[in-house]
Amino acid sequence: EAAVTQSPRNKVTVTGGNVTLSCRQTNSHNYMYWYRQDTGHGLRLIHYSYGAGNLQIGDVPDGYKATRTTQEDFFLLLELASPSQTSLYFCASSDVGGSQDTQYFGPGTRLLVL
Amino acid sequence: GEKVEQHESTLSVREGDSAVINCTYTDTASSYFPWYKQEAGKGLHFVIDIRSNVDRKQSQRLIVLLDKKAKRFSLHITATQPEDSAIYFCAANPNNAGAKLTFGGGTRLTVRP
């Protein structure tokens, strides 16, 4: 099974702070995704990427940047964190184009912005 | 863009009964409909999917039905067990985007002993 890891697992920052969330997948998947999960909204796609150096805009991108440095690593950056960005963040990966479109999720990072 | 609505935010059933979770979508071009399960404190994991070229798919106790005309799909869990208790998310792939999924809001299923 695909392995997706996230760090940190928990993070507390203050309004205006700078936060980087990290994600690594070890199954050579081409696509990687960042979601946020909020009660009542399900999962909402922030950014995604289909390869190193590529970035695609998701459905809720405002206030977030992302960078895909390698096939394995995808980072989510909050440069001026706001309380509205308090959420549970998930990274996922998938091998689109093959017979499987299944997304494999990491364990999540819980972010609190005070 | 695509919108996916999950009609039941919570669902409680007795062990051994069936549970049904319903979703609707808006984009007629959507063709791929996966379901994910999230257990307490964990990430999501895939449970079953259906593509628009069929209207029914079964995997053990899970059945997915797709009604393209009504833009509706549903997950049926038969003979429920306590370990089925979790949050279930439906999703749709809009415009054959290949990768992008739009998720519903989630249904918290509780299986009572």
Side-chain angles (χ1 to χ4, degrees), chain A residues 17-41:
Chain A
N18 196 322
V19 176
T20 298
L21 306 185
S22 302
C23 177
R24 167 165 282 203
Q25 55 96 4
T26 58
N27 282 276
S28 302
H29 285 168
N30 48 3
Y31 276 79
M32 294 185 74
Y33 316 81
W34 278 107
Y35 294 93
R36 60 178 289 173
Q37 182 181 7
D38 305 286
T39 303
H41 292 280

PDB file of all heavy atoms in Angstrom, chain A residues 17-41:
ATOM      1  N   GLY A  17       1.850  34.413  11.467  1.00  0.00           N
ATOM      2  CA  GLY A  17       3.004  33.520  11.473  1.00  0.00           C
ATOM      3  C   GLY A  17       3.204  32.829  10.143  1.00  0.00           C
ATOM      4  O   GLY A  17       2.346  32.825   9.263  1.00  0.00           O
ATOM      5  N   ASN A  18       4.352  32.205  10.020  1.00  0.00           N
ATOM      6  CA  ASN A  18       4.774  31.523   8.797  1.00  0.00           C
ATOM      7  C   ASN A  18       4.822  30.025   9.091  1.00  0.00           C
ATOM      8  O   ASN A  18       5.498  29.597  10.027  1.00  0.00           O
ATOM      9  CB  ASN A  18       6.166  32.048   8.434  1.00  0.00           C
ATOM     10  CG  ASN A  18       6.548  31.721   7.019  1.00  0.00           C
ATOM     11  OD1 ASN A  18       6.242  30.650   6.530  1.00  0.00           O
ATOM     12  ND2 ASN A  18       7.233  32.638   6.374  1.00  0.00           N
ATOM     13  N   VAL A  19       4.087  29.242   8.302  1.00  0.00           N
ATOM     14  CA  VAL A  19       3.995  27.802   8.560  1.00  0.00           C
ATOM     15  C   VAL A  19       4.282  27.035   7.275  1.00  0.00           C
ATOM     16  O   VAL A  19       3.803  27.426   6.199  1.00  0.00           O
ATOM     17  CB  VAL A  19       2.579  27.426   9.056  1.00  0.00           C
ATOM     18  CG1 VAL A  19       2.445  25.924   9.239  1.00  0.00           C
ATOM     19  CG2 VAL A  19       2.255  28.146  10.358  1.00  0.00           C
ATOM     20  N   THR A  20       5.032  25.960   7.407  1.00  0.00           N
ATOM     21  CA  THR A  20       5.239  25.041   6.285  1.00  0.00           C
ATOM     22  C   THR A  20       4.826  23.644   6.708  1.00  0.00           C
ATOM     23  O   THR A  20       5.315  23.122   7.716  1.00  0.00           O
ATOM     24  CB  THR A  20       6.703  25.026   5.826  1.00  0.00           C
ATOM     25  OG1 THR A  20       7.063  26.328   5.368  1.00  0.00           O
ATOM     26  CG2 THR A  20       6.889  24.022   4.682  1.00  0.00           C
ATOM     27  N   LEU A  21       3.927  23.059   5.951  1.00  0.00           N
ATOM     28  CA  LEU A  21       3.518  21.676   6.161  1.00  0.00           C
ATOM     29  C   LEU A  21       4.178  20.821   5.093  1.00  0.00           C
ATOM     30  O   LEU A  21       4.208  21.182   3.919  1.00  0.00           O
ATOM     31  CB  LEU A  21       1.994  21.538   6.072  1.00  0.00           C
ATOM     32  CG  LEU A  21       1.168  22.458   6.970  1.00  0.00           C
ATOM     33  CD1 LEU A  21      -0.306  22.125   6.864  1.00  0.00           C
ATOM     34  CD2 LEU A  21       1.639  22.419   8.408  1.00  0.00           C
ATOM     35  N   SER A  22       4.704  19.671   5.528  1.00  0.00           N
ATOM     36  CA  SER A  22       5.459  18.804   4.620  1.00  0.00           C
ATOM     37  C   SER A  22       4.727  17.498   4.370  1.00  0.00           C
ATOM     38  O   SER A  22       4.058  16.960   5.250  1.00  0.00           O
ATOM     39  CB  SER A  22       6.829  18.493   5.227  1.00  0.00           C
ATOM     40  OG  SER A  22       7.541  19.675   5.490  1.00  0.00           O
ATOM     41  N   CYS A  23       4.918  16.997   3.169  1.00  0.00           N
ATOM     42  CA  CYS A  23       4.320  15.725   2.776  1.00  0.00           C
ATOM     43  C   CYS A  23       5.314  14.965   1.920  1.00  0.00           C
ATOM     44  O   CYS A  23       5.945  15.545   1.016  1.00  0.00           O
ATOM     45  CB  CYS A  23       3.044  15.968   1.989  1.00  0.00           C
ATOM     46  SG  CYS A  23       2.260  14.447   1.371  1.00  0.00           S
ATOM     47  N   ARG A  24       5.447  13.690   2.185  1.00  0.00           N
ATOM     48  CA  ARG A  24       6.309  12.826   1.378  1.00  0.00           C
ATOM     49  C   ARG A  24       5.578  11.540   1.038  1.00  0.00           C
ATOM     50  O   ARG A  24       4.960  10.922   1.895  1.00  0.00           O
ATOM     51  CB  ARG A  24       7.599  12.515   2.128  1.00  0.00           C
ATOM     52  CG  ARG A  24       8.403  11.392   1.500  1.00  0.00           C
ATOM     53  CD  ARG A  24       9.807  11.335   2.027  1.00  0.00           C
ATOM     54  NE  ARG A  24      10.628  12.366   1.396  1.00  0.00           N
ATOM     55  CZ  ARG A  24      11.961  12.298   1.300  1.00  0.00           C
ATOM     56  NH1 ARG A  24      12.586  11.270   1.806  1.00  0.00           N
ATOM     57  NH2 ARG A  24      12.637  13.264   0.739  1.00  0.00           N
ATOM     58  N   GLN A  25       5.671  11.136  -0.223  1.00  0.00           N
ATOM     59  CA  GLN A  25       5.126   9.833  -0.630  1.00  0.00           C
ATOM     60  C   GLN A  25       6.246   9.011  -1.262  1.00  0.00           C
ATOM     61  O   GLN A  25       7.117   9.550  -1.934  1.00  0.00           O
ATOM     62  CB  GLN A  25       3.942  10.010  -1.599  1.00  0.00           C
ATOM     63  CG  GLN A  25       4.214  10.840  -2.829  1.00  0.00           C
ATOM     64  CD  GLN A  25       4.563  10.026  -4.054  1.00  0.00           C
ATOM     65  OE1 GLN A  25       4.545   8.797  -4.040  1.00  0.00           O
ATOM     66  NE2 GLN A  25       4.861  10.716  -5.150  1.00  0.00           N
ATOM     67  N   THR A  26       6.204   7.725  -1.011  1.00  0.00           N
ATOM     68  CA  THR A  26       7.313   6.849  -1.395  1.00  0.00           C
ATOM     69  C   THR A  26       6.920   5.811  -2.431  1.00  0.00           C
ATOM     70  O   THR A  26       7.576   4.772  -2.545  1.00  0.00           O
ATOM     71  CB  THR A  26       7.892   6.156  -0.147  1.00  0.00           C
ATOM     72  OG1 THR A  26       6.848   5.417   0.498  1.00  0.00           O
ATOM     73  CG2 THR A  26       8.483   7.158   0.812  1.00  0.00           C
ATOM     74  N   ASN A  27       5.859   6.092  -3.188  1.00  0.00           N
ATOM     75  CA  ASN A  27       5.410   5.117  -4.177  1.00  0.00           C
ATOM     76  C   ASN A  27       5.463   5.625  -5.611  1.00  0.00           C
ATOM     77  O   ASN A  27       4.780   5.095  -6.472  1.00  0.00           O
ATOM     78  CB  ASN A  27       4.000   4.627  -3.837  1.00  0.00           C
ATOM     79  CG  ASN A  27       4.061   3.612  -2.716  1.00  0.00           C
ATOM     80  OD1 ASN A  27       4.295   2.424  -2.938  1.00  0.00           O
ATOM     81  ND2 ASN A  27       3.901   4.088  -1.512  1.00  0.00           N
ATOM     82  N   SER A  28       6.253   6.647  -5.827  1.00  0.00           N
ATOM     83  CA  SER A  28       6.472   7.142  -7.192  1.00  0.00           C
ATOM     84  C   SER A  28       5.174   7.573  -7.877  1.00  0.00           C
ATOM     85  O   SER A  28       5.067   7.470  -9.105  1.00  0.00           O
ATOM     86  CB  SER A  28       7.173   6.068  -8.047  1.00  0.00           C
ATOM     87  OG  SER A  28       8.396   5.698  -7.461  1.00  0.00           O
ATOM     88  N   HIS A  29       4.210   8.036  -7.101  1.00  0.00           N
ATOM     89  CA  HIS A  29       2.986   8.544  -7.707  1.00  0.00           C
ATOM     90  C   HIS A  29       3.269   9.876  -8.385  1.00  0.00           C
ATOM     91  O   HIS A  29       4.077  10.691  -7.905  1.00  0.00           O
ATOM     92  CB  HIS A  29       1.906   8.724  -6.642  1.00  0.00           C
ATOM     93  CG  HIS A  29       1.315   7.429  -6.196  1.00  0.00           C
ATOM     94  ND1 HIS A  29       0.504   7.330  -5.086  1.00  0.00           N
ATOM     95  CD2 HIS A  29       1.386   6.181  -6.701  1.00  0.00           C
ATOM     96  CE1 HIS A  29       0.116   6.084  -4.944  1.00  0.00           C
ATOM     97  NE2 HIS A  29       0.646   5.353  -5.906  1.00  0.00           N
ATOM     98  N   ASN A  30       2.542  10.148  -9.469  1.00  0.00           N
ATOM     99  CA  ASN A  30       2.787  11.410 -10.155  1.00  0.00           C
ATOM    100  C   ASN A  30       1.990  12.563  -9.543  1.00  0.00           C
ATOM    101  O   ASN A  30       2.462  13.694  -9.482  1.00  0.00           O
ATOM    102  CB  ASN A  30       2.529  11.278 -11.662  1.00  0.00           C
ATOM    103  CG  ASN A  30       1.204  10.610 -11.999  1.00  0.00           C
ATOM    104  OD1 ASN A  30       0.420  10.285 -11.115  1.00  0.00           O
ATOM    105  ND2 ASN A  30       0.954  10.399 -13.274  1.00  0.00           N
ATOM    106  N   TYR A  31       0.784  12.297  -9.070  1.00  0.00           N
ATOM    107  CA  TYR A  31      -0.036  13.364  -8.509  1.00  0.00           C
ATOM    108  C   TYR A  31       0.068  13.424  -6.991  1.00  0.00           C
ATOM    109  O   TYR A  31       0.106  12.393  -6.307  1.00  0.00           O
ATOM    110  CB  TYR A  31      -1.510  13.147  -8.877  1.00  0.00           C
ATOM    111  CG  TYR A  31      -1.891  13.671 -10.244  1.00  0.00           C
ATOM    112  CD1 TYR A  31      -1.585  12.957 -11.388  1.00  0.00           C
ATOM    113  CD2 TYR A  31      -2.563  14.882 -10.372  1.00  0.00           C
ATOM    114  CE1 TYR A  31      -1.940  13.437 -12.649  1.00  0.00           C
ATOM    115  CE2 TYR A  31      -2.923  15.370 -11.625  1.00  0.00           C
ATOM    116  CZ  TYR A  31      -2.607  14.642 -12.752  1.00  0.00           C
ATOM    117  OH  TYR A  31      -2.955  15.118 -13.988  1.00  0.00           O
ATOM    118  N   MET A  32       0.105  14.654  -6.482  1.00  0.00           N
ATOM    119  CA  MET A  32       0.008  14.890  -5.042  1.00  0.00           C
ATOM    120  C   MET A  32      -0.949  16.035  -4.806  1.00  0.00           C
ATOM    121  O   MET A  32      -1.111  16.926  -5.666  1.00  0.00           O
ATOM    122  CB  MET A  32       1.388  15.191  -4.434  1.00  0.00           C
ATOM    123  CG  MET A  32       2.341  14.005  -4.507  1.00  0.00           C
ATOM    124  SD  MET A  32       3.921  14.288  -3.685  1.00  0.00           S
ATOM    125  CE  MET A  32       3.434  14.168  -1.952  1.00  0.00           C
ATOM    126  N   TYR A  33      -1.596  16.020  -3.623  1.00  0.00           N
ATOM    127  CA  TYR A  33      -2.688  16.952  -3.328  1.00  0.00           C
ATOM    128  C   TYR A  33      -2.584  17.461  -1.885  1.00  0.00           C
ATOM    129  O   TYR A  33      -2.117  16.740  -1.008  1.00  0.00           O
ATOM    130  CB  TYR A  33      -4.048  16.247  -3.428  1.00  0.00           C
ATOM    131  CG  TYR A  33      -4.220  15.351  -4.618  1.00  0.00           C
ATOM    132  CD1 TYR A  33      -3.697  14.057  -4.617  1.00  0.00           C
ATOM    133  CD2 TYR A  33      -4.913  15.782  -5.742  1.00  0.00           C
ATOM    134  CE1 TYR A  33      -3.856  13.221  -5.708  1.00  0.00           C
ATOM    135  CE2 TYR A  33      -5.079  14.951  -6.831  1.00  0.00           C
ATOM    136  CZ  TYR A  33      -4.557  13.676  -6.806  1.00  0.00           C
ATOM    137  OH  TYR A  33      -4.715  12.852  -7.886  1.00  0.00           O
ATOM    138  N   TRP A  34      -3.059  18.667  -1.682  1.00  0.00           N
ATOM    139  CA  TRP A  34      -3.285  19.184  -0.341  1.00  0.00           C
ATOM    140  C   TRP A  34      -4.759  19.525  -0.178  1.00  0.00           C
ATOM    141  O   TRP A  34      -5.345  20.237  -1.010  1.00  0.00           O
ATOM    142  CB  TRP A  34      -2.463  20.445  -0.074  1.00  0.00           C
ATOM    143  CG  TRP A  34      -1.054  20.173   0.317  1.00  0.00           C
ATOM    144  CD1 TRP A  34       0.072  20.359  -0.425  1.00  0.00           C
ATOM    145  CD2 TRP A  34      -0.609  19.683   1.598  1.00  0.00           C
ATOM    146  NE1 TRP A  34       1.183  19.998   0.288  1.00  0.00           N
ATOM    147  CE2 TRP A  34       0.797  19.588   1.534  1.00  0.00           C
ATOM    148  CE3 TRP A  34      -1.253  19.314   2.775  1.00  0.00           C
ATOM    149  CZ2 TRP A  34       1.570  19.139   2.603  1.00  0.00           C
ATOM    150  CZ3 TRP A  34      -0.491  18.862   3.828  1.00  0.00           C
ATOM    151  CH2 TRP A  34       0.903  18.783   3.752  1.00  0.00           C
ATOM    152  N   TYR A  35      -5.352  19.001   0.921  1.00  0.00           N
ATOM    153  CA  TYR A  35      -6.735  19.272   1.263  1.00  0.00           C
ATOM    154  C   TYR A  35      -6.803  19.867   2.668  1.00  0.00           C
ATOM    155  O   TYR A  35      -5.935  19.620   3.501  1.00  0.00           O
ATOM    156  CB  TYR A  35      -7.556  17.977   1.308  1.00  0.00           C
ATOM    157  CG  TYR A  35      -7.746  17.262   0.014  1.00  0.00           C
ATOM    158  CD1 TYR A  35      -6.876  16.245  -0.374  1.00  0.00           C
ATOM    159  CD2 TYR A  35      -8.824  17.558  -0.813  1.00  0.00           C
ATOM    160  CE1 TYR A  35      -7.078  15.543  -1.566  1.00  0.00           C
ATOM    161  CE2 TYR A  35      -9.032  16.869  -2.000  1.00  0.00           C
ATOM    162  CZ  TYR A  35      -8.157  15.867  -2.359  1.00  0.00           C
ATOM    163  OH  TYR A  35      -8.356  15.175  -3.530  1.00  0.00           O
ATOM    164  N   ARG A  36      -7.884  20.561   2.916  1.00  0.00           N
ATOM    165  CA  ARG A  36      -8.219  20.900   4.288  1.00  0.00           C
ATOM    166  C   ARG A  36      -9.578  20.281   4.612  1.00  0.00           C
ATOM    167  O   ARG A  36     -10.459  20.196   3.726  1.00  0.00           O
ATOM    168  CB  ARG A  36      -8.222  22.414   4.533  1.00  0.00           C
ATOM    169  CG  ARG A  36      -9.177  23.239   3.716  1.00  0.00           C
ATOM    170  CD  ARG A  36      -9.090  24.720   4.104  1.00  0.00           C
ATOM    171  NE  ARG A  36      -9.668  24.962   5.436  1.00  0.00           N
ATOM    172  CZ  ARG A  36      -9.605  26.122   6.074  1.00  0.00           C
ATOM    173  NH1 ARG A  36      -9.005  27.171   5.523  1.00  0.00           N
ATOM    174  NH2 ARG A  36     -10.155  26.257   7.265  1.00  0.00           N
ATOM    175  N   GLN A  37      -9.718  19.833   5.864  1.00  0.00           N
ATOM    176  CA  GLN A  37     -10.961  19.213   6.298  1.00  0.00           C
ATOM    177  C   GLN A  37     -11.565  20.033   7.421  1.00  0.00           C
ATOM    178  O   GLN A  37     -10.932  20.253   8.450  1.00  0.00           O
ATOM    179  CB  GLN A  37     -10.738  17.777   6.792  1.00  0.00           C
ATOM    180  CG  GLN A  37     -12.036  17.091   7.204  1.00  0.00           C
ATOM    181  CD  GLN A  37     -11.838  15.689   7.722  1.00  0.00           C
ATOM    182  OE1 GLN A  37     -10.716  15.225   7.918  1.00  0.00           O
ATOM    183  NE2 GLN A  37     -12.933  14.969   7.919  1.00  0.00           N
ATOM    184  N   ASP A  38     -12.771  20.489   7.208  1.00  0.00           N
ATOM    185  CA  ASP A  38     -13.497  21.276   8.191  1.00  0.00           C
ATOM    186  C   ASP A  38     -14.898  20.700   8.331  1.00  0.00           C
ATOM    187  O   ASP A  38     -15.513  20.310   7.336  1.00  0.00           O
ATOM    188  CB  ASP A  38     -13.593  22.745   7.763  1.00  0.00           C
ATOM    189  CG  ASP A  38     -12.241  23.356   7.477  1.00  0.00           C
ATOM    190  OD1 ASP A  38     -11.522  23.628   8.444  1.00  0.00           O
ATOM    191  OD2 ASP A  38     -11.883  23.542   6.296  1.00  0.00           O
ATOM    192  N   THR A  39     -15.398  20.693   9.548  1.00  0.00           N
ATOM    193  CA  THR A  39     -16.726  20.137   9.809  1.00  0.00           C
ATOM    194  C   THR A  39     -17.763  20.819   8.921  1.00  0.00           C
ATOM    195  O   THR A  39     -17.807  22.042   8.833  1.00  0.00           O
ATOM    196  CB  THR A  39     -17.091  20.343  11.292  1.00  0.00           C
ATOM    197  OG1 THR A  39     -16.084  19.726  12.100  1.00  0.00           O
ATOM    198  CG2 THR A  39     -18.430  19.700  11.596  1.00  0.00           C
ATOM    199  N   GLY A  40     -18.571  19.987   8.289  1.00  0.00           N
ATOM    200  CA  GLY A  40     -19.628  20.511   7.421  1.00  0.00           C
ATOM    201  C   GLY A  40     -19.198  20.768   6.002  1.00  0.00           C
ATOM    202  O   GLY A  40     -20.039  20.960   5.119  1.00  0.00           O
ATOM    203  N   HIS A  41     -17.889  20.794   5.756  1.00  0.00           N
ATOM    204  CA  HIS A  41     -17.382  21.071   4.405  1.00  0.00           C
ATOM    205  C   HIS A  41     -16.702  19.872   3.762  1.00  0.00           C
ATOM    206  O   HIS A  41     -16.328  19.921   2.601  1.00  0.00           O
ATOM    207  CB  HIS A  41     -16.389  22.235   4.432  1.00  0.00           C
ATOM    208  CG  HIS A  41     -17.015  23.548   4.755  1.00  0.00           C
ATOM    209  ND1 HIS A  41     -17.701  24.301   3.823  1.00  0.00           N
ATOM    210  CD2 HIS A  41     -17.073  24.251   5.905  1.00  0.00           C
ATOM    211  CE1 HIS A  41     -18.137  25.405   4.385  1.00  0.00           C
ATOM    212  NE2 HIS A  41     -17.774  25.404   5.648  1.00  0.00           N
TER     213      HIS A  41
END
